[in-house]
Amino acid sequence: MTDILKKEIITVSEAKEILDQVKPDDMDQIQRWTFDYVVKFAKTGSGVAHEMVKRLRDECELKEEEAVEVVNVSPTSLEELRAFTFGWKKLILTETLQKMLNILQKRNES
């Protein structure tokens, strides 16, 4: 068993990058399942995902956890983003939601 060195919230894309460094034969069953999941659902490269999280935190005043959730889900419309953030139980202005969408849409340009 491996010791936990540090706990950190990361995006699906960042998890994929980490698991890409492990040989499939060296993975346990949970790591293989996790790897299969991240390969299917990583929506961008880890560097781009990390930058989007940083921008969402800095420019939209999101918590780290919220920014990672948004990047992982990557909503594509204002309505989808509004429905997603509704569960946070805090008011987010339409202009902030639009700014969030603009940040998410930049991934396609990278």
Side-chain angles (χ1 to χ4, degrees), residues 1-74:
M1 181 156 190
T2 307
D3 292 333
I4 296 173
L5 302 177
K6 140 177 128 172
K7 288 184 178 185
E8 183 178 345
I9 297 171
I10 59 174
T11 64
V12 171
S13 299
E14 291 168 312
K16 180 183 180 297
E17 180 180 302
I18 291 167
L19 288 171
D20 274 338
Q21 299 171 16
V22 179
K23 294 177 186 172
D25 292 341
D26 294 340
M27 290 182 183
D28 63 29
Q29 188 65 41
I30 293 173
Q31 289 170 324
R32 276 192 216 105
W33 290 337
T34 304
F35 183 71
D36 288 343
Y37 177 88
V38 298
V39 165
K40 290 177 187 169
F41 293 103
K43 297 187 187 317
T44 187
S46 66
V48 173
H50 183 76
E51 183 60 30
M52 286 192 298
V53 168
K54 183 181 180 328
R55 288 189 62 202
L56 288 167
R57 277 190 358 251
D58 296 346
E59 297 174 30
C60 303
E61 299 179 5
L62 297 183
K63 297 177 189 172
E64 182 84 13
E65 296 86 0
E66 294 167 340
V68 168
E69 281 183 46
V70 168
V71 170
N72 284 342
V73 173
S74 292

Side-chain angles (χ1 to χ4, degrees), residues 70-86:
V70 168
V71 170
N72 284 342
V73 173
S74 292
T76 57
S77 70
L78 198 57
E79 295 76 21
E80 189 179 7
L81 183 57
R82 191 180 313 273
F84 179 76
T85 59
F86 182 76

